[in-house]
Amino acid sequence: MITTNPFDDDKLHEECGVFGIFNNADAAKHTALGLHALQHRGQEAAGIVSYDDTQFNAYRDAGHVGDIFSSPERMRRLEGHCAIGHNRYSTSGDTVIRNVQPLFAEMDFGGFAVAHNGNLTNARKLRRELVRRGSLFQSTTDTEVVIHLMATAPAHTVIERLIHALKQIEGAYSFTALTDSELIGVRDPLGVRPLVLGTLGDSYILASETCALDIIGADFVRDIEPGEMVVIDKEGLRSLRPFPRQRQRMCVFEYIYFSRPDSQIEGTSVYEARKRIGAELAREKETHADLVVPVPDSGVPAAIGYSNQANIPFELGIVRNHYVGRTFIEPTDSIRHLGVKLKHNANSALLRGKRVVLVDDSIVRGTTSAKIVNMVRQAGAAEVHMRIAAPPTRHPCFYGIDTPDESELLAARFDVDGMAEEIGCDTLAFISDDGLYRAMGYPKRNALQPQFCDACFTGEYPIRLTDQVEGESRQRQLNLLAEG
């Protein structure tokens, strides 16, 4: 089958986006709009839980936000003045409704809903211990561990129970949670995953990115700080610090690829950061060429920066079709190789006879890169030079990013020359680690205290990988978690 399933794409994928709103008559509608703005962070499924002063209301389903929450009748079932929502990418197996967030549980203090962006690196260990103590799990997500830790906590208030749970988990996370009286947001101590705070009149909002504030006309207030918990109720907002302060390690791939270019993270415009990365890449790896062509859409800002710095014309030499669904047709063998053209087509009138610099954000397996290079050559390009706005991706992520096993990563199997041969380009170059950090405003990467989480490039994991078993693949570990 020709497919445009995002998991078949040769890209890393952010696994989740979260949104929450408190004190708003149209809470669920605003949440649906916020999730729509965060669709790039999760396209497998979405859900919303709201509270209407008498009961919690929930709807979760597989698919895109616009399809799930387009029904007026469905939205009327989500009445309430507060709500949280979640977009999801699954990491293994099929998306089943029991795994779609927000998760909800009735506890002795009342209802509790939670949505999670990230990954808990000791979830399997905690899950085994909880099952031995009698916990009955309803899903295979790591997020459910938090609910069971809260349910068995030797504490009284919701906040005390949540802090008790947080102090047992390891990993990267941003949570939004909802009770019958509170909206809660919390970010992991290193701040690997993003979370922002906004306001809309008298309403408070939590979201993974600022673009989710923009879509509903809300004002950005600030980023939730690493290790911070905010509790929002009818009295307003209070900030708690359950953890000792640590040096921040924001995921640098949020700037390279994951976040929407119109978002701001930690005071930095994602779009401007990507342009600076492209300019730095041109300083390091300038090439004699006639055109700079982005691999759409994620390569566009870096290609603009590269073009401006190298003084080589920027052109849309590859056009993307935005109207292709997940699957298309069951092809015969003779047309199976045309699958890449469902999404991309080369502008042969522009490329013919030209020396082309192709700019992309990253290379994972290299399969799509090889198809793109071949397509540009078939369009008549005289030379094809690939320039990548990230260092080589040599290691899997365990902090909430869907990545292949290390054995499937092209940069883990070949040096740069070998990668160029596999992809079929004339030359291949990546921005250096120090170049990436210079683009982000630092003189270079601090080897002793890196300013970001860059484990996918360096293999230096800042958070303990308790569930990682030596010699086991990442997929094997995820399967073991699912098995409990």
Side-chain angles (χ1 to χ4, degrees):
M1 180 176 290
I2 292 181
T3 178
T4 57
N5 186 321
F7 296 103
D8 291 335
D9 289 348
D10 187 24
K11 292 290 183 185
L12 302 181
H13 289 287
E14 176 63 272
E15 288 172 2
C16 301
V18 299
F19 187 94
I21 184 167
F22 188 86
N23 188 34
N24 192 286
D26 292 321
K29 292 178 182 178
H30 284 314
T31 301
L33 288 169
L35 293 180
H36 183 77
L38 298 171
Q39 186 72 86
H40 59 288
R41 299 187 76 91
Q43 299 176 32
E44 287 289 285
I48 294 175
V49 173
S50 66
Y51 183 71
D52 65 5
D53 287 328
T54 59
Q55 66 180 10
F56 287 87
N57 309 290
Y59 192 84
R60 303 176 294 164
D61 205 352
H64 287 183
V65 174
D67 298 324
I68 298 170
F69 297 111
S70 59
S71 164
E73 180 182 354
R74 190 169 294 164
M75 295 308 297
R76 281 194 293 270
R77 291 166 51 188
L78 293 169
E79 292 182 351
H81 60 84
C82 52
I84 62 171
H86 186 268
N87 287 338
R88 180 174 188 264
Y89 267 126
S90 61
T91 55
S92 63
D94 294 331
T95 295
V96 292
I97 298 303
R98 66 188 176 126
N99 285 340
V100 180
Q101 298 185 36
L103 300 183
F104 177 79
E106 289 282 1
M107 302 194 199
D108 60 357
F109 58 76
F112 180 80
V114 61
H116 172 206
N117 170 214
N119 189 59
L120 307 184
T121 56
N122 66 338
R124 182 177 164 228
K125 176 177 178 290
L126 290 172
R127 185 186 180 105
R128 284 200 309 264
E129 294 171 354
L130 286 161
V131 168
R132 278 197 295 266
R133 283 155 45 189
S135 292
L136 302 175
F137 280 77
Q138 301 300 310
S139 76
T140 60
T141 68
D142 57 347
T143 312
E144 192 178 353
V145 167
V146 175
I147 290 177
H148 289 277
L149 290 172
M150 290 181 65
T152 58
H156 299 288
T157 70
V158 176
I159 302 305
E160 289 172 345
R161 287 171 180 265
L162 181 54
I163 290 173
H164 174 81
L166 294 173
K167 289 189 174 181
Q168 295 179 73
I169 64 175
E170 300 167 359
Y173 54 82
S174 286
F175 289 110
T176 56
L178 186 65
T179 72
D180 59 8
S181 60
E182 299 157 319
L183 173 65
I184 305 164
V186 61
R187 199 170 170 200
D188 69 78
L190 297 186
V192 177
R193 304 263 67 87
L195 189 65
V196 300
L197 173 70
T199 56
L200 179 64
D202 295 329
S203 306
Y204 281 100
I205 298 156
L206 296 168
S208 291
E209 295 181 36
T210 59
C211 64
L213 304 178
D214 297 337
I215 197 172
I216 61 172
D219 296 318
F220 169 70
V221 176
R222 63 178 177 88
D223 293 274
I224 303 302
E225 295 181 11
E228 181 184 15
M229 174 187 290
V230 293
V231 181
I232 300 161
D233 58 24
K234 63 182 181 181
E235 303 299 325
L237 180 146
R238 55 194 169 105
S239 173
L240 305 176
R241 284 285 180 178
F243 309 102
R245 289 183 184 268
Q246 300 184 46
R247 186 182 181 90
Q248 183 168 355
R249 295 290 296 274
M250 178 80 186
C251 171
V252 74
F253 235 110
E254 291 284 353
Y255 296 100
I256 296 169
Y257 174 66
F258 295 136
S259 295
R260 247 176 57 166
D262 52 332
S263 287
Q264 293 192 47
I265 297 178
E266 302 293 346
T268 297
S269 161
V270 174
Y271 178 76
E272 292 299 329
R274 290 176 187 171
K275 282 176 51 178
R276 292 197 301 270
I277 291 169
E280 191 63 40
L281 179 60
R283 292 187 190 98
E284 292 187 338
K285 312 292 182 183
E286 189 171 356
T287 302
H288 296 291
D290 302 306
L291 300 175
V292 173
V293 173
V295 176
D297 289 323
S298 56
V300 171
I304 293 172
Y306 192 104
S307 169
N308 291 341
Q309 178 62 36
N311 198 28
I312 301 172
F314 170 94
E315 296 286 357
L316 296 178
I318 300 172
V319 178
R320 180 180 175 185
N321 179 2
H322 292 267
Y323 303 100
V324 178
R326 286 171 53 84
T327 58
F328 186 50
I329 59 174
E330 185 74 33
T332 62
D333 289 342
S334 62
I335 67 168
R336 193 176 301 276
H337 69 285
L338 299 178
V340 69
K341 291 190 176 181
L342 289 174
K343 280 192 171 181
H344 300 103
N345 191 42
N347 187 343
S348 57
L350 186 67
L351 300 176
R352 190 175 296 115
K354 298 297 198 303
R355 299 168 298 170
V356 177
V357 175
L358 282 178
V359 179
D360 205 355
D361 58 88
S362 59
I363 292 178
V364 184
R365 294 181 179 89
T367 51
T368 298
S369 298
K371 292 174 182 177
I372 293 288
V373 168
N374 182 59
M375 184 173 64
V376 171
R377 287 201 187 280
Q378 289 184 344
E383 298 175 9
V384 182
H385 305 274
M386 285 211 77
R387 297 294 178 262
I388 308 300
T393 303
R394 297 190 174 97
H395 308 276
C397 176
F398 295 90
Y399 302 138
I401 306 304
D402 184 46
T403 54
D405 287 340
E406 189 166 314
S407 61
E408 298 179 54
L409 296 171
L410 194 67
R413 298 165 50 216
F414 299 97
D415 62 13
V416 174
D417 289 340
M419 294 174 72
E421 185 176 350
E422 285 288 308
I423 291 169
C425 54
D426 292 286
T427 65
L428 172 66
F430 298 79
I431 194 169
S432 68
D433 292 347
D434 285 345
L436 175 60
Y437 277 75
R438 282 194 296 272
M440 295 308 302
Y442 298 94
K444 62 178 182 178
R445 182 181 188 271
N446 185 332
L448 296 178
Q449 292 183 314
Q451 299 90 335
F452 296 99
C453 178
D454 55 12
C456 53
F457 310 136
T458 64
E460 298 176 16
Y461 295 96
I463 302 170
R464 185 166 50 187
L465 304 177
T466 299
D467 290 341
Q468 185 179 14
V469 180
E470 189 68 30
E472 283 191 343
S473 70
R474 180 180 188 275
Q475 189 61 51
R476 166 69 173 154
Q477 293 167 45
L478 292 168
N479 290 341
L480 287 170
L481 173 61
E483 294 164 6

